[in-house]
């Protein structure tokens, strides 16, 4: 059978899409799992970007490069904390002064958690975080700080034994949850509220199970919890059972005792 040429032998009455055999700008080629044709095939090879010494380092500002950075943060966090053992994440304001009652409570929380066999994980900053790290360190336990790149952050506090600095909040938050068996929350601002409500959401949606969340400072937290009950629950935005997601206490002893009792039944989802 004679070879049919698309341009000369096809029936002229049959409509056909004219596809060039040679793509303008170069032959079709592959870039990893991606196939490039026509104008896209003329793009420089990936190796060219990598090896061209005169290329400006704008590739470090691209999303694919950020994905690698994100991946590296997860790898670093998992590798560093995988052998940490039982731990509790302690949250609270970076603005808590050292002469505050809650700073002293934070120190006691750190000491008592170590005495109960837990490592202490904080955000690694000053204030309430420093207090919990100090209590854990002075008690001879593992004091962990998970720092974050912020324009106004003061860096890792001096009581951190094992510190990791993150660029991305969500990578850092994963470490707070993955390597902790519960949260103890001291008074704080937006960052503390963010961590608190994320923890509540994870428990509510059963992403984690039997995960104690203890708020220290009844006077401080009661107005917020009243709003949860009188607005969220009253409007049907949450269920009655969701009110049991957190436990309000006033002392470090109550907080740690509640954590100990609750974590005995902790199971992975």
């Amino acid at each position: 059978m004679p070879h049919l040429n698309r341009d000369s032998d096809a029936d002229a009455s049959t409509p056909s899409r004219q596809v060039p055999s040679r793509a303008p700008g170069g032959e079709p080629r592959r870039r990893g799992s991606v196939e490039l044709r026509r104008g896209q095939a003329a793009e420089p090879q990936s190796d060219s970007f990598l090896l061209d010494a005169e290329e400006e380092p704008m590739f470090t500002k691209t999303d694919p490069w950020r994905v690698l950075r994100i991946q590296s943060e997860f790898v670093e966090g998992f590798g560093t904390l995988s052998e940490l053992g039982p731990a509790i994440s302690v949250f609270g304001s970076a603005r808590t002064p050292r002469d505050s009652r809650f700073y002293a409570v934070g120190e006691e929380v750190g000491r008592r958690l170590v005495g109960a066999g837990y490592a202490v994980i904080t955000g690694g900053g000053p204030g309430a975080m420093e207090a919990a790290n100090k209590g854990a360190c002075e008690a001879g336990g593992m004091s962990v700080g998970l720092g974050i790149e912020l324009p106004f952050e003061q860096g890792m506090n001096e009581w951190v034994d094992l510190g990791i600095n993150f660029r991305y909040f969500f990578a850092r938050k994963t470490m707070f949850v993955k390597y902790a068996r519960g949260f103890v929350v001291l008074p704080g601002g937006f960052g503390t509220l963010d961590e608190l409500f994320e923890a509540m959401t994870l428990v509510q949606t059963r992403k984690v199970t039997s995960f104690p969340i203890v708020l220290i400072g009844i006077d401080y937290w009661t107005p917020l919890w009243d709003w949860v009950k009188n607005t969220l629950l009253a409007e049907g935005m949450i269920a009655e059972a969701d009110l049991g997601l957190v436990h309000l206490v006033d002392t470090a002893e109550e907080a740690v005792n509640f954590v100990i009792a609750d974590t005995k039944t902790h199971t992975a989802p």
Side-chain angles (χ1 to χ4, degrees):
M1 179 181 290
H3 175 72
L4 294 179
N5 180 279
R6 187 182 195 109
D7 295 322
S8 60
D9 296 80
D11 188 336
S13 64
T14 303
S16 63
R17 179 171 177 263
Q18 299 297 313
V19 179
S21 60
R22 292 179 60 83
E27 294 283 352
R29 65 182 177 85
R30 297 185 70 86
R31 184 175 64 199
S33 62
V34 178
E35 185 166 326
L36 305 172
R37 295 180 177 177
R38 292 175 280 284
Q40 292 296 313
E43 291 294 316
Q45 298 181 58
S46 298
D47 279 347
S48 299
F49 287 112
L50 176 63
L51 300 174
D52 188 351
E54 296 184 5
E55 179 70 27
E56 293 186 6
M58 292 305 294
F59 66 96
T60 63
K61 309 296 183 183
T62 63
D63 284 341
W65 186 262
R66 291 187 182 100
V67 169
L68 294 178
R69 276 213 205 103
I70 292 165
Q71 176 179 288
S72 73
E73 293 204 342
F74 279 109
V75 170
E76 189 71 34
F78 292 161
T80 302
L81 300 176
S82 61
E83 298 181 3
L84 181 62
I88 299 295
S89 290
V90 180
F91 297 110
S93 176
R95 303 182 184 188
T96 302
R98 289 176 177 168
D99 59 358
S100 164
R101 174 175 81 87
F102 287 113
Y103 188 98
V105 172
E107 285 187 76
E108 187 179 352
V109 166
R111 286 194 300 270
R112 286 182 176 273
L113 286 173
V114 167
Y118 295 101
V120 172
I121 305 173
T122 79
M129 295 174 282
E130 176 187 283
N133 284 134
K134 181 181 179 184
C137 183
E138 290 183 334
M142 177 59 74
S143 175
V144 179
L146 306 180
I148 185 68
E149 181 182 46
L150 294 173
F152 46 80
E153 190 55 82
Q154 300 177 21
M156 206 73 73
N157 70 68
E158 63 179 309
W159 300 101
V160 169
D161 297 320
L162 180 63
I164 310 173
N165 281 299
F166 292 85
R167 275 189 170 95
Y168 302 100
F169 268 117
F170 57 86
R172 178 186 186 231
K173 285 181 175 181
T174 299
M175 305 305 151
F176 278 131
V177 176
K178 180 173 176 60
Y179 294 103
R181 297 189 178 183
F183 283 167
V184 172
V185 188
L186 291 155
F190 287 153
T192 303
L193 291 174
D194 175 52
E195 291 151 350
L196 167 61
F197 278 96
E198 178 157 12
M200 291 165 61
T201 302
L202 290 172
V203 177
Q204 182 198 48
T205 56
R206 299 182 183 178
K207 297 298 183 181
V208 293
T209 56
S210 302
F211 193 94
I213 305 170
V214 187
L215 309 184
I216 300 181
I218 292 176
D219 288 343
Y220 186 89
W221 293 110
T222 292
L224 174 65
W225 207 240
D226 285 343
W227 174 78
V228 169
K229 291 186 291 185
N230 298 331
T231 301
L232 297 187
L233 180 62
E235 294 291 336
M237 302 302 175
I238 62 172
E240 182 80 32
D242 294 333
L243 297 178
L245 294 177
V246 303
H247 192 72
L248 274 66
V249 301
D250 248 341
T251 68
E253 181 180 11
E254 291 175 290
V256 175
N257 285 344
F258 184 82
V259 165
I260 293 170
D262 195 285
T263 54
K264 286 179 180 180
T265 61
H266 178 85
T267 56

